[in-house]
Amino acid sequence: MSKLVLPVLLLMSVGIIIAGQADRPLADRARMRVADVLAPLWSLLSRTQTDSERLVHGLKEARNLAEENHRLSAENANLRRWYEVAVSLARENDTLKTELHWVPEPTPAFVTGRVVADSGGIYARAVLLVAGTTSGVQTGNIALASSGLAGRVTEVGAHAARILLITDIASRLPVELESSHAAAIMAGDNSPLPRLLYYSQDTRPIEGERVVTSDQAGAFPSGIPIGSVHYLHPGQPVVQPFARLDRLTMLRVFDFGQSEIEPPEAPGHVPLTRPHRALTLPFKTLLGPGQEG
């Protein structure tokens, strides 16, 4: 009997095909009746498969949630320890400032504006800010993104300002390496990673240490975060900026008032006099008698 199953099925298939070709309307009605009979079965099988997939997906999600919960619990405990350390240091800092009669620095004024693409100008890496002199923006103000230094205002109009980014080849600013407390110059080269130049050979930049602004030239206040040190090649340190300078949408422009800090005059200080104007004589007097023409 097992040997006759396959030949019988083949004969039935051939017969069904011949019958379908002989009477097509009858074959169509028979096919639709079979489909109507089997439709609830296919629906049940499909629903069972969908429920099984949802059950498997739910088990995977439950396992992922358990792992995520464990990770978040460990991270929360770690952050709690650091929070306690930060609170202790903040209290100690406040106590020391009170004992030393610390004079706080004035809070800088700032405005926030929308960033648009810079289609003109002489700089390769610059953006336009929709804020100008009418909003209080001045040349020399410092532009900060949400995570770090972005650049400096070089040109300003009534309703727009051009900001030179720290990655431009014309950008040069003094910086300080936070871990080694060494001074250096950060120079842009139109690439996403500005270079570190003129640092002391005794205190080379350390991979991963933070880079902040320095107030040596008086153009920037000290301590503004810029990025971290990274070595593309041995002996060639660069800075990975914290700010996403290629995806700037909003910038805050701060007026730190660096130029307003002027030292008092020392006792006995003699101000420099202006240079004397050159004595001008008529042309005939310079030539002398008999030399005209």
Side-chain angles (χ1 to χ4, degrees):
M1 295 297 293
S2 60
K3 294 180 180 180
L4 295 176
V5 173
L6 182 59
V8 170
L9 292 177
L10 290 176
L11 290 175
M12 290 177 62
S13 301
V14 174
I16 292 173
I17 294 174
I18 295 174
Q21 294 296 327
D23 192 354
R24 185 173 295 274
L26 178 62
D28 292 339
R29 288 195 300 270
R31 185 171 60 252
M32 292 306 299
R33 289 179 181 177
V34 173
D36 291 338
V37 172
L38 296 179
L41 179 61
W42 298 130
S43 177
L44 179 61
L45 293 176
S46 177
R47 189 181 303 110
T48 304
Q49 182 182 1
T50 303
D51 294 341
S52 301
E53 292 177 353
R54 289 179 180 176
L55 179 61
V56 174
H57 182 71
L59 293 176
K60 291 182 179 179
E61 288 293 330
R63 184 182 63 183
N64 294 335
L65 288 176
E67 295 176 356
E68 184 73 10
N69 188 25
H70 180 71
R71 186 185 65 82
L72 290 176
S73 298
E75 184 177 352
N76 189 25
N78 188 25
L79 290 177
R80 185 65 185 177
R81 289 193 295 269
W82 281 110
Y83 173 76
E84 294 175 356
V85 172
V87 170
S88 177
L89 291 176
R91 291 175 180 174
E92 182 180 357
N93 192 21
D94 293 339
T95 302
L96 292 176
K97 285 182 178 180
T98 302
E99 293 180 355
L100 294 174
H101 302 284
W102 172 262
V103 178
E105 297 181 359
T107 303
F110 72 93
V111 296
T112 304
R114 182 171 56 88
V115 174
V116 296
D118 187 8
S119 58
I122 61 175
Y123 302 116
R125 297 290 184 268
V127 295
L128 288 178
L129 188 73
V130 187
T133 55
T134 56
S135 303
V137 179
Q138 300 177 3
T139 303
N141 290 165
I142 298 171
L144 298 181
S146 59
S147 53
L149 179 66
R152 192 175 184 187
V153 177
T154 56
E155 302 173 56
V156 63
H159 303 287
R162 176 170 285 112
I163 297 176
L164 178 68
L165 299 180
I166 59 176
T167 54
D168 191 87
I169 195 171
S171 175
R172 299 288 190 277
L173 65 147
V175 297
E176 182 181 353
L177 308 177
E178 200 170 53
S179 299
S180 56
H181 300 285
I185 297 294
M186 189 181 73
D189 57 359
N190 291 342
S191 70
L193 304 176
R195 297 173 297 166
L196 282 177
L197 305 174
Y198 309 117
Y199 52 86
S200 176
Q201 297 298 321
D202 298 333
T203 55
R204 292 180 177 273
I206 303 172
E207 176 73 26
E209 70 173 325
R210 282 164 48 95
V211 180
V212 298
T213 56
S214 174
D215 59 352
Q216 290 186 357
F220 289 85
S222 61
I224 298 177
I226 301 176
S228 58
V229 176
H230 176 63
Y231 279 90
L232 293 176
H233 304 286
Q236 297 182 6
V238 296
V239 179
Q240 287 184 329
F242 292 141
R244 297 294 300 272
L245 301 179
D246 56 339
R247 299 181 181 180
L248 294 174
T249 56
M250 304 288 288
L251 281 178
R252 292 175 296 170
V253 177
F254 285 81
D255 183 9
F256 286 94
Q258 294 296 105
S259 60
E260 299 177 0
I261 303 177
E262 298 180 357
E265 294 185 0
H269 174 72
V270 179
L272 296 176
T273 58
R274 296 181 179 180
H276 297 286
R277 295 182 179 179
L279 181 63
T280 57
L281 297 176
F283 185 67
K284 292 183 179 181
T285 306
L286 294 175
L287 292 177
Q291 298 182 3
E292 295 90 342

